[in-house]
């Protein structure tokens, strides 16, 4: 695999770390900027909203961008947003930097997913995309917990600086390894933008995007407020937040790996088995949160189940978006990040109820229940192939 591809993966790692890292930094940010943990949790939603808006918008604009300029500009804006965030003492400014960083992230992914496939021979495109997207998986296992440790030792601002610095090797790799101009045939044979947007009106597309959003809302709702569960409900020190995040990340890796072998051939099995298990897991975690051993085991299990089910549903979005070759990835990104935006807001609303710090876990269970009530009766439609128009 060419070196520029790995440097692009470094940028994806930095961006993935940024998207998920607040789960371990919220108490520190809230204390430093004199806001409540509930308010600090909206930073996750801010990033997700930026991704939801930015993914399809920037993907459409990126159809006409020179690749190197688009990638380099996105990485530099992303790094600058984190530098500003690390220096500010204003929560509204920090909130704004999260939106800007998300827009830059969306722009980068819109171009990088296409560029990755052009850096290698046609028969190695799948491997190239796997290398690029491995940055996100590594972020959940190493980047997010590492950021939490760095934040616990040096403060949350150090984590923001670290993410910005990680973008610099990627920027250098883009300058050295990505051609400055556009391929002459880059615009030929391309599906019309209107035809790609029409895919969003298809009922089965709407269904799978809704389900993906619900499951991701449950995941991000609990992940965002996992820190207080560890420190308050379980009564452990702040460094144990990193342990919980490592376990969640390791579980997510296992879930994505296992689901990756099944989601194309037997998606109904993943949904029918993984969905009910995920539903049981969230309330079980809430009831056993004061037992550290049970807490950590269930955090791993829920990470695995959440990403197994979520990745399977997002794969269905990509199948349904086969008629939108340049925007399919943005539709999947939008579905994921609608959930990432809504989930923390719903979870934050439960913190002031009698459930307290465990409220997000109960809310996640409710969101999964809603998803299953919709999905199970329509399982055949959801798992139909690309050409079978079950719901049309």
């Amino acid at each position: 695999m060419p070196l520029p591809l790995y440097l692009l993966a470094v940028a994806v790692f930095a961006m993935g770390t940024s998207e998920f890292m607040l789960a371990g930094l919220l108490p520190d940010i809230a204390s430093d900027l004199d806001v409540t943990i509930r308010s600090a949790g909206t930073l996750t939603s801010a990033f997700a909203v930026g991704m939801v808006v930015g993914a399809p918008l920037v993907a459409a604009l990126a159809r006409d961008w020179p690749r190197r300029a688009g990638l380099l500009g996105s990485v530099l804006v992303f790094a600058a947003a984190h530098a500003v965030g690390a220096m500010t003492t204003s929560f509204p400014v920090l909130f704004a930097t999260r939106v800007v960083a998300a827009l830059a992230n969306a722009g980068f992914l819109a171009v990088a997913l296409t560029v990755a496939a052009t850096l290698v021979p046609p028969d190695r495109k799948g491997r190239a995309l796997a290398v690029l997207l491995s940055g996100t998986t590594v972020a959940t296992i190493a980047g997010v917990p590492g950021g939490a440790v760095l934040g616990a030792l040096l403060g949350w601002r150090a984590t923001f600086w670290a993410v910005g610095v990680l973008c610099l090797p990627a920027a250098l790799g883009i300058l050295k390894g990505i051609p400055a101009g556009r391929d002459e045939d880059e615009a030929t044979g391309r599906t019309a933008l209107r035809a790609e947007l029409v895919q969003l009106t298809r009922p089965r597309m709407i269904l799978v995007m809704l389900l993906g959003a619900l499951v991701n809302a449950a995941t991000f709702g609990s992940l965002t407020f996992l820190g207080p569960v560890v420190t308050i409900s379980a009564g452990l020190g702040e460094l144990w937040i990193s342990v919980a995040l490592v376990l969640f990340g390791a579980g997510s890796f296992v879930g994505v790996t296992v689901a990756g072998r099944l989601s194309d051939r037997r998606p109904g099995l993943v949904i029918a088995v993984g969905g009910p298990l995920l539903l049981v897991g969230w309330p079980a975690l809430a009831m056993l949160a004061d037992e550290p051993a049970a807490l950590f085991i269930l955090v791993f299990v829920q990470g695995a189940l959440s990403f197994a089910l979520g990745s399977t549903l997002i794969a269905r979005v990509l199948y349904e978006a086969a008629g939108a070759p340049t925007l399919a990835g943005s539709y999947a990104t939008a579905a994921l990040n609608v959930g990432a935006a809504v989930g923390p807001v719903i979870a934050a609303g439960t913190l002031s109820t009698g459930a307290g710090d465990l409220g997000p876990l109960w809310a996640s269970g409710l969101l999964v229940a809603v998803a299953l009530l919709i999905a199970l009766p329509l399982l055949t439609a959801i798992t139909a192939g690309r050409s079978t128009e079950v719901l049309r």
Side-chain angles (χ1 to χ4, degrees), residues 63-78:
R63 290 159 59 96
D64 299 316
W65 287 357
R67 290 170 175 174
R68 188 169 77 176
L71 289 169
L72 185 60
S74 297
V75 168
L76 293 179
V77 169
F78 187 85

Side-chain angles (χ1 to χ4, degrees), residues 229-280:
V229 174
V230 172
T231 57
I232 298 175
S233 298
L236 301 173
E238 286 192 5
L239 287 177
W240 285 99
I241 297 175
S242 301
V243 175
L245 292 173
V246 167
L247 289 171
F248 190 92
S252 71
F253 177 79
V254 171
V256 168
T257 301
V258 173
R261 300 176 182 274
L262 296 173
S263 60
D264 287 327
R265 293 177 286 109
R266 304 191 68 182
L269 178 65
V270 178
I271 297 171
V273 175
L277 290 175
L278 182 63
L279 172 60
V280 172

Side-chain angles (χ1 to χ4, degrees), residues 12 16 26 59 63 90 130 147 158 174 177 188 216 226 257 259-260 281 290 301 313 330 343 358 365 389:
V12 174
L26 286 185
R63 290 159 59 96
S90 167
I174 291 166
T188 62
N216 206 49
L226 187 58
T257 301
D290 59 346
V301 171
L313 290 169
S330 71
L358 300 177
E389 301 301 325

